[in-house]
Amino acid sequence: MPLPPNFLDELRARTPLAPLIGRRVRLARNGRQWKGCCPFHNEKTPSFYVYDDHYHCFGCGQHGDAIGFTMATEGLAFREAIERLAGEAGLEIPKESPRQVAKEARARDLHDVLQAAAEAMQRRLHTPEGRPALDYLRKRGLSDDTIARFALGWSGSGRGALAAELKPLGIEPRQLAEAGLTKPAEGREGAFNDFFFNRVIFPIRDRRGRIVSFGGRTLGDGQPKYLNGPETDVFSKRRTLYGLDMAREAVFRGRARLVIAEGYMDVIALHQAGFEGAVAPLGTALTPEQMDEIWRVTPEPVLCLDGDAAGLRAAARTSEMVLPLVSPERTLHFATLPQGQDPDDLIAAKGPAAFEAVLAAAKPLSSALYDLMAEGRPLGTPEGRAAFRNDLAAAAGRIADKSLASEYRGALLNRFFETARPQRPPRPAFTPGSRKGGTPFKPAPRLPPRAAPEAGNTRLQQVRCLLAITLAHPWLLDEVEEAFALVELPHGPPSALQAALLAWHAGRALTDVSDVTIPSLDSADLLDHLNSTGLEEARAWVMGATGLPREASPDAQPAETLDGWWHFFGFLRGEGALIEDLETAKRDLVTANDAAAQSRVIRLSQALSALRRGETGLEEGAESASP
């Protein structure tokens, strides 16, 4: 018996092609696909490419899928190859049954009916009745070749004309209803009305190019402006994408990048302009089923949306939907059109190069997700920043792949600590002057340092000392996180370690949202984290320095460690910023009147005093550490 197409599709989906072909061909990764020497002809330069669901040799022209490869390389018949692959995939081959035979026959009948209807409506577009629709399509910039390629048509007035036209082909009203072309007439038993009338018709095809339904656009003021056919035995709106059959071939051939646009006309205009990888959902938000179909074609599609508020909302919905589905092998990029412009508007005004620039500026999911979540957030207050940080960690936790979730959490929180902190306006350097009331200001006497190292080297060693104390005693971050985030450390290993420490602490201070046990705030766990994120050399650069302060040793007492941390914080923060920090802390003490606020005032006062005395914090020998 003929096997059901859905079974064959499932078998192909469960048979990764690269591992199957890799048993016989040495393959190497080449961008999004694999490359090797063709097993069907003798060649020295690889021209055999393996994609997600097909292979192609550009040398001899051999082309096929998992079933075809098994037949060709093992000398098996079609049925034997199916049995071999089904056994490996754990699939049971469907057994013939009257119900299955009837279902397959009915599906073939529906495809035939839909094809006949499409041809009838395509002919009608070129009659006097369809002239307004043809004029509309030409006014939108579509060529006659494009109109024919997409088989665009005109539905007619809807008074039974379609049924009458198809009746000589033996197509009955019942079949038209099953295909979604008619619907029961209210109050008239056994009578049907056309589903589409007075609409431009867009045939909708499945990934294999078979017509499964239609979309229609009204030319008047009627609502809805766009209308899709109803669900049928061959059409599921949430599983179907407009233009996928054409885009799939263009992407596989390397002619285009898969772009997800918003509607029928966007897809058609993009194809006409040379962007043959364009597809669109059917008037609704993207669904997980549609993303699965897209990822079967390419692992890195681009979602292209309008830059207005509606486009941002659509992007936010899509990012929320797609997070649990992404993996190291499949993701999504986001491109934004200029506000108020569709793809055809942009291309008509500035040419295909303008849309190419939009695609080139597409953001990866992690970057777009942050921007979308930050939109409109009140990040000027501690409460707003804390809520935003919690939401970022929760978003990363929705990713099913735990290693990828960890990477997203780090990337999102790193960016948070780099950008979400309130920026203070630049302050002039502190200059002693007169106090209020005219009393002259007398600075505290300055004690000369024991050894006055070069200024740039001194600051670098102070940076190392602060980081060394933090790395050795990461529990400090419970108290000093906010202050640590304010210090401007040099670019390179210092700033990378600062961002990693803050993100690591934030991820462990938050509620567990990803079903992963959160380790304690100890140095061993921190070391594992830094090693896993490629910062082991940066850590060695800090901890390998000579002359580090006593507070950086593992056996330093907690009070001693805190004193040392705030000491170096003061040197790095600077006098003007410390004065401002101290004034803020004093106001917080008046408001909160708790031990934490009092401790902060004391620590900042001590740090400011040490700075004014001219100390460097390196008097005990840390200045000897090499840069």
Side-chain angles (χ1 to χ4, degrees):
M1 77 165 192
L3 293 168
N6 58 347
F7 167 76
L8 295 178
D9 287 342
E10 178 69 14
L11 179 60
R12 293 183 182 101
R14 289 205 193 184
T15 306
L17 203 50
L20 175 69
I21 294 178
R23 300 173 191 173
R24 293 179 173 271
V25 180
R26 179 175 294 180
L27 298 175
R29 175 68 80 172
N30 185 65
R32 297 193 301 269
Q33 57 271 341
W34 298 83
K35 183 179 181 181
C37 289
C38 179
F40 302 110
H41 79 286
N42 187 21
E43 66 174 5
K44 295 182 179 179
T45 302
S47 60
F48 181 78
Y49 285 78
V50 180
Y51 304 88
D52 283 351
D53 66 351
H54 84 292
Y55 62 86
H56 182 81
C57 178
F58 290 92
C60 67
Q62 283 283 347
H63 182 93
D65 59 9
I67 301 170
F69 185 83
T70 304
M71 293 170 63
T73 56
E74 300 188 26
L76 300 177
F78 177 76
R79 186 77 184 195
E80 293 170 329
I82 292 294
E83 291 172 352
R84 171 76 60 83
L85 295 175
E88 294 180 358
L91 284 175
E92 183 177 351
I93 299 176
K95 297 179 181 178
E96 186 172 10
S97 68
R99 173 179 290 184
Q100 183 64 38
V101 171
K103 182 178 179 181
E104 292 299 319
R106 186 166 63 253
R108 287 194 299 272
D109 288 345
L110 291 181
H111 287 304
D112 291 342
V113 169
L114 290 161
Q115 181 63 42
E119 293 171 0
M121 290 187 282
Q122 191 175 9
R123 289 192 299 269
R124 193 174 293 141
L125 179 68
H126 297 277
T127 65
E129 178 190 3
R131 188 55 187 258
L134 185 60
D135 289 343
Y136 164 78
L137 295 172
R138 288 172 174 167
K139 186 178 179 181
R140 291 291 300 264
L142 301 188
S143 67
D144 288 348
D145 287 343
T146 298
I147 293 170
R149 184 184 176 203
F150 284 86
L152 305 184
W154 174 247
S155 67
S157 62
R159 296 184 177 87
L162 183 62
E165 190 168 349
L166 299 182
K167 186 175 181 179
L169 301 178
I171 296 175
E172 303 173 358
R174 171 190 57 80
Q175 293 174 294
L176 293 175
E178 290 176 355
L181 293 167
T182 62
K183 56 186 178 182
E186 294 183 10
R188 292 187 296 155
E189 187 175 352
F192 294 88
N193 290 331
D194 289 358
F195 191 86
F196 298 101
F197 54 92
N198 291 332
R199 289 181 181 268
V200 178
I201 293 297
F202 301 84
I204 300 170
R205 295 180 171 87
D206 63 12
R207 70 195 319 267
R208 296 168 63 186
R210 300 171 301 183
I211 295 178
V212 294
S213 188
F214 298 95
R217 187 198 192 281
T218 181
L219 293 183
D221 297 328
Q223 293 296 327
K225 180 178 290 186
Y226 283 94
L227 179 67
N228 295 311
E231 301 276 315
T232 67
D233 287 346
V234 296
F235 175 58
S236 170
K237 185 162 64 173
R238 65 181 298 105
R239 299 178 184 276
T240 308
L241 289 141
Y242 184 69
L244 183 63
D245 58 314
M246 297 180 180
R248 176 173 172 265
E249 185 67 18
V251 174
F252 283 158
R253 299 291 184 186
R255 299 197 306 265
R257 188 175 184 183
L258 195 145
V259 178
I260 308 165
E262 291 199 50
Y264 302 119
M265 290 301 298
D266 293 333
V267 169
I268 297 171
L270 286 171
H271 276 255
Q272 180 172 276
F275 300 94
E276 299 178 74
V279 302
L282 302 178
T284 59
L286 275 170
T287 67
E289 292 84 356
Q290 288 168 336
M291 283 307 309
D292 283 339
E293 287 291 324
I294 289 169
W295 279 323
R296 290 176 68 181
V297 177
T298 178
E300 297 184 4
V302 179
L303 177 64
C304 185
L305 296 169
D306 294 344
D308 56 14
L312 291 174
R313 288 194 299 270
R317 287 195 304 269
T318 301
S319 64
E320 182 179 349
M321 177 275 294
V322 84
L323 273 177
L325 309 176
V326 296
S327 72
E329 292 78 31
R330 56 188 202 177
T331 186
L332 182 64
H333 294 259
F334 289 75
T336 305
L337 289 161
Q339 189 164 354
Q341 288 191 310
D342 293 329
D344 52 340
D345 297 329
L346 180 62
I347 292 168
K350 299 183 179 180
F355 188 76
E356 196 71 65
V358 169
L359 295 184
K363 298 177 182 179
L365 175 59
S366 58
S367 178
L369 178 66
Y370 187 97
D371 292 339
L372 290 167
M373 295 182 66
E375 185 73 21
R377 299 295 291 257
L379 300 180
T381 66
E383 295 84 0
R385 293 193 298 274
F388 182 44
R389 191 177 71 181
N390 288 352
D391 289 346
L392 290 174
R398 297 187 63 229
I399 298 174
D401 184 283
K402 300 307 178 187
S403 62
L404 185 61
S406 176
E407 292 295 329
Y408 262 72
R409 182 182 296 109
L412 292 171
L413 292 178
N414 281 350
R415 186 173 172 190
F416 168 79
F417 284 113
E418 290 172 2
T419 63
R421 299 293 180 181
Q423 299 298 312
R424 298 177 182 272
R427 295 176 56 92
F430 179 79
T431 303
S434 298
R435 296 178 184 270
K436 288 182 178 180
T439 305
F441 177 84
K442 294 183 179 181
R446 295 179 177 270
L447 300 177
R450 187 175 303 171
E454 189 270 328
N457 185 55
T458 298
R459 182 167 179 83
L460 186 62
Q461 301 318 311
Q462 290 169 338
V463 168
R464 269 179 163 162
C465 292
L466 182 74
L467 288 171
I469 295 172
T470 311
L471 288 167
H473 306 282
W475 53 265
L476 283 168
L477 291 168
D478 280 342
E479 177 175 330
V480 304
E481 177 194 35
E482 187 77 19
F484 187 43
L486 295 175
V487 182
E488 293 184 8
L489 298 186
H491 181 71
S495 61
L497 281 172
Q498 181 187 35
L501 280 163
L502 290 168
W504 172 82
H505 177 257
R508 281 142 184 80
L510 294 171
T511 304
D512 182 9
V513 295
S514 60
D515 198 27
V516 177
T517 302
I518 296 178
S520 59
L521 293 172
D522 59 42
S523 55
D525 173 62
L526 175 59
L527 178 60
D528 290 341
H529 172 74
L530 296 178
N531 289 342
S532 68
T533 53
L535 289 173
E536 60 269 26
E537 290 186 8
R539 178 186 178 278
W541 175 81
V542 171
M543 302 305 292
T546 58
L548 290 175
R550 182 174 60 253
E551 294 87 350
S553 64
D555 56 354
Q557 296 299 310
E560 177 186 28
T561 301
L562 273 169
D563 287 342
W565 193 94
W566 282 101
H567 200 55
F568 285 103
F569 166 81
F571 303 137
L572 295 172
R573 184 72 171 130
E575 188 170 0
L578 274 177
I579 292 172
E580 186 175 331
D581 292 344
L582 181 58
E583 291 303 315
T584 300
K586 288 178 179 178
R587 289 194 297 269
D588 291 343
L589 177 60
V590 172
T591 302
N593 194 27
D594 58 14
Q598 184 179 27
S599 175
R600 187 174 178 85
V601 169
I602 294 171
R603 298 289 186 191
L604 290 169
S605 298
Q606 292 172 341
L608 183 58
S609 297
L611 187 66
R612 285 175 170 171
R613 288 195 300 270
E615 299 175 9
T616 67
L618 305 177
E619 290 79 7
E620 299 301 321
E623 69 271 18
S624 62
S626 58

